[in-house]
Amino acid sequence: MCGIVGYVGKRDAVSLLLSGLRSLEYRGYDSSGIAVHTGAGISVVKRAGRLSVLEEALHERKVKGKCGIGHTRWATHGVATDINAHPFLSRCGKFAVVHNGILSNYLPLAAFLRERGVSLVSDTDSEVIAHLIDYYYTGDVLGAILRAIADVKGSFSLGVISVFEPNVVYGVRKDSPLIVGEGEGEYALCSDISGISFCDKYFPMDNGQVARITENGVTLYDFKGRKLPVSFVKRESDILDERELGTDDMLAEIRQIPTSLMIGHDSFPRERVRELFAEEVKDILVLGCGSAYHAGLVFAEAMREVAGECVRTEIASEFLTERPCVGKDTLVIAISQSGETADTLLAVGRAKEAGAKVLSLCNVRASSLVRQSDCALITRCGREMAVAATKSYVAQVQALLLICLEYADIKGKIAPSALDDFRAETAALSDKAEEVLRSESYIEKVALAAKDAEAVFFLGRKGDYAAAREGSLKLKEVSYLFSEAYPSGELKHGTLALMEHGVYGVIVATDPALFGKNAATVSEITCRGASAIVIAPASLAAEMPAGYVLCIPDAPPLFSPILSAVVMQLFAYYVAKARGCDVDRPRNLAKSVTVE
Ligand code: F6R
C-alpha cells in the first residue's frame, strides 16, 4: 500500500532512492517518483507504471543531489497517471511530499485550499498535504509540518523536503509504518527496513512522531513539537533475506521453504510458549487476514484434533464489531507476515481495549504489530518480496503447530509417546518439503494442463479443507483463474451443480483415515466431466482414481498442510506463468495492506 523512502548523506540520492523503491515496489506498483534537492531547487520526476518507467525517465533527465524522497504507489484515490503519482509539489515548488495512507478529510481540506487560491492538480487525497504545509509556512519548516498535520485526519506516513532546508528530510508517522535508518554519515527513511539495506542501524518510528533527518543525525519530536529521545538498534541480517537473481521472487521464496522450516524448528522458543500457556487462558482467538487467517484455520483444526480445544478464528476486518466477545481471560493470537496490515492492527487494538492479551506471530520484528502486542513470536523465514505469501504462510503454520503441541502437553491433553512422535516429525518436515520440491517439474506439467480451466475448485476435509482455502487463494491471486474452496462434504449441497467439462477440482486428500471419502469426491466430480487433481501421500497415490496425483511424503495429517501448501504454491506459480501473468506483482494487489 504505497512505499516511501528518503535519503540524506554524501552519496548520490537518486540511485539510493531508486534502489529503496525497488525493494518497496511490492507495496504498490501503479506509479513511482522521486523529488531531489539539486542545489537549484527541488526536481521531481514521476511516472505512471512500473519502476522501470521511472528509471528510463531518469536516464534521460539527469537529476543529481544528495537529499531526496521517493514513492511507489498503490492507487486509492485517482487512477494511475503521471499527475496522480507522488511526490507532490506545493506552489512554486517550495515543498515536496510523499504519502502512504489515506486521508479521510481531504475533500474539506481541498476546498479550504481552493478558497485561498491554491490549485490542486491531482485526484489524490495526498496532494493537500504539500499545499497545507506551504500555507502554514512562516519561516519554520517543522512548525509548518506540525500545523498541517494537526488539520489532517486519517492514516499517514510522510516524507517531506523543502527548498528552505536543502539537506533535511522530514519523516512523519501516524498509523502507517516508517523506519529511520543510520548508515555511515548518512540517514534514511523507509516504509520498511528492506528499502534501506545500506543502514546497519534503525529504529521504527511510533505513531505521533516527526523525525528531522540531516546527514549529521536525527532529531525526533512529538506532534506538539516536544523533543523525544532517539535510540537506534542494530539490524540483524538473515540468510533468507537474500534474493535469487534471475528467478521470480515467488518461486525463489517457495524454494526457501525447507531452510525456513529448519530455522523455524531450531529457533522455536518452546519454553517461552510454555510459560505463556502456564498462565490462565480460558479462550483463544486467532485474528489475521488472507493467508495469515488461513494459517489460523489450520491451527484451529490442529487444536481440535490434538488438544480437544475449541479455538475461534476471525478475519480481522470482520472483528471490528461493537461486541468483540473477548475479555481478560482471552489470548488473542494475531498473525501477520508484515505486521502492518491495517485491519489486523485495528482488530488487535479492539481486543486489547476489551482486556485481551495479545501474542503476535509476525515475520517483521520492527513492525507495528509486534510493538502493539504483549508478546511476540517471530517467524524467521526472511524477507518475502513476492506479493503472494508462500514461505511466510508455511512458517506461520509451522509455528502454530509447534504451539499446538506445547499447549496440548502443558494442559495434559496428549500422551507423552504421541508427543515424542510428533516432535520427531516436526524435525523431519524440512526434508519432506525438500522432497516435494523435487517433484516441481511434474507439478509444472499438471499446471500446464490446467492453465485454461474455466474454474478450479479446491476441496478437502478438516485440516485439508483449511489447506485448500489457502491453495485456492494462491491460485486466484497470481493466475486470475476463478477459484473457490469448499469442504468436500458440501459438494452435494450445491456446488456439484458447477462440475462439468473444463472445470478442475483440486482434491486435497492427505489423511489416510479419509481415503474412502476423498476417493468418492474424486469420482463424484469426474463422472460429471470435471477433471481431478489429487494431492495425496505417496503411499496412497496409486489408489487414487484421478488423472493427476501430486504426491507429498507420508506424514501425520497434522503436518500435511505444510507439505500440501508447497505443492499448491508451485501449482499456482506454474499456472500463472503458463498464463503469462506477472507472478510477483499480481494486478490490483499490494503486499502490505496498510489501509482498511
Ligand atoms: C495472499 C497474501 C495476503 C496476505 C494478507 C495479510 O498471498 O499475501 O492475503 O496474507 O494481506 O498480510 P499480512 O500477513 O502481512 O498481515
Side-chain angles (χ1 to χ4, degrees), residues 247-259:
T247 306
D248 290 320
D249 289 334
M250 183 177 173
L251 183 59
E253 286 160 6
I254 296 171
R255 288 177 178 163
Q256 286 179 333
I257 287 172
T259 313

Side-chain angles (χ1 to χ4, degrees), residues 30-312:
D30 289 327
S31 65
S32 54
I34 59 166
V36 173
H37 276 291
T38 58
I42 298 174
S43 267
V44 171
V45 183
K46 51 186 191 172
R47 291 289 182 275
R50 296 292 164 95
L51 186 62
S52 52
V53 184
L54 176 69
E55 283 170 332
E56 247 170 64
L58 282 163
H59 199 68
E60 280 163 26
R61 198 176 138 191
K62 304 270 182 262
V63 176
K64 285 213 177 315
K66 301 200 160 130
C67 173
I69 51 179
H71 188 269
T72 178
R73 178 170 186 244
W74 183 79
T76 56
H77 295 70
V79 293
T81 57
D82 289 359
I83 287 178
N84 288 338
H86 300 220
F88 290 105
L89 277 176
S90 69
R91 269 193 294 197
C92 310
K94 287 187 228 143
F95 295 89
V97 171
V98 287
H99 168 220
N100 170 30
I102 289 188
L103 305 186
S104 50
N105 65 336
Y106 77 101
L107 289 172
L109 290 176
F112 170 87
L113 288 162
R114 279 197 193 96
E115 278 162 22
R116 282 149 188 85
V118 176
S119 21
L120 295 151
V121 293
S122 77
D123 306 316
T124 67
D125 53 337
S126 311
E127 188 188 352
V128 293
I129 306 171
H131 297 295
L132 271 182
I133 297 173
D134 191 332
Y135 175 74
Y136 286 121
Y137 179 72
T138 53
D140 169 16
V141 177
L142 175 66
I145 292 173
L146 292 173
R147 188 67 190 78
I149 57 179
D151 284 358
V152 165
K153 293 198 173 76
S155 60
F156 49 89
S157 61
L158 307 174
V160 182
I161 57 173
S162 101
V163 290
F164 305 110
E165 295 183 323
N167 293 310
V168 182
V169 174
Y170 286 90
V172 183
R173 178 193 162 137
K174 181 184 169 273
D175 295 335
S176 293
L178 201 55
I179 307 249
V180 178
E182 180 184 51
E184 273 187 34
E186 55 193 355
Y187 289 85
L189 199 61
C190 199
S191 298
D192 85 37
I193 199 161
S194 67
I196 44 174
S197 50
F198 57 90
C199 296
D200 53 6
K201 289 188 193 149
Y202 73 97
F203 72 89
M205 289 176 66
D206 276 327
N207 274 338
Q209 294 186 336
V210 180
R212 183 177 185 274
I213 306 172
T214 71
E215 62 180 324
N216 299 318
V218 179
T219 321
L220 200 60
Y221 302 89
D222 67 14
F223 279 4
K224 293 208 155 57
R226 293 176 295 218
K227 276 197 187 166
L228 300 168
V230 174
S231 120
F232 284 93
V233 291
K234 199 152 172 44
R235 178 196 189 109
E236 286 172 25
S237 65
D238 198 318
I239 45 161
L240 289 175
D241 284 345
E242 305 294 327
R243 292 182 69 175
E244 196 179 316
L245 293 177
T247 306
D248 290 320
D249 289 334
M250 183 177 173
L251 183 59
E253 286 160 6
I254 296 171
R255 288 177 178 163
Q256 286 179 333
I257 287 172
T259 313
S260 161
L261 283 169
M262 200 167 62
I263 294 173
H265 176 266
D266 294 348
S267 62
F268 182 70
R270 190 193 286 184
E271 286 314 317
R272 236 170 17 96
V273 169
R274 291 177 76 84
E275 276 165 28
L276 189 69
F277 289 115
E279 290 170 25
E280 187 65 3
V281 174
K282 287 215 175 100
D283 172 34
I284 300 177
L285 168 69
V286 182
L287 293 171
C289 299
S291 302
Y293 168 70
H294 292 156
L297 294 179
V298 174
F299 176 62
E301 196 53 45
M303 286 289 278
R304 188 161 62 173
E305 290 298 314
V306 177
E309 195 69 58
C310 183
V311 165
R312 288 186 288 150

Side-chain angles (χ1 to χ4, degrees), residues 288-293 335-341 344 384 386-390 392 396 470 473-474 477 590-593:
C289 299
S291 302
Y293 168 70
I335 310 173
S336 173
Q337 187 284 128
S338 61
E340 302 297 347
T341 299
T344 307
E384 192 171 65
V387 164
T390 55
S392 66
Q396 287 161 358
E470 173 61 8
L473 175 65
K474 214 81 318 175
E477 71 173 323
K591 179 97 185 135
S592 215
V593 187

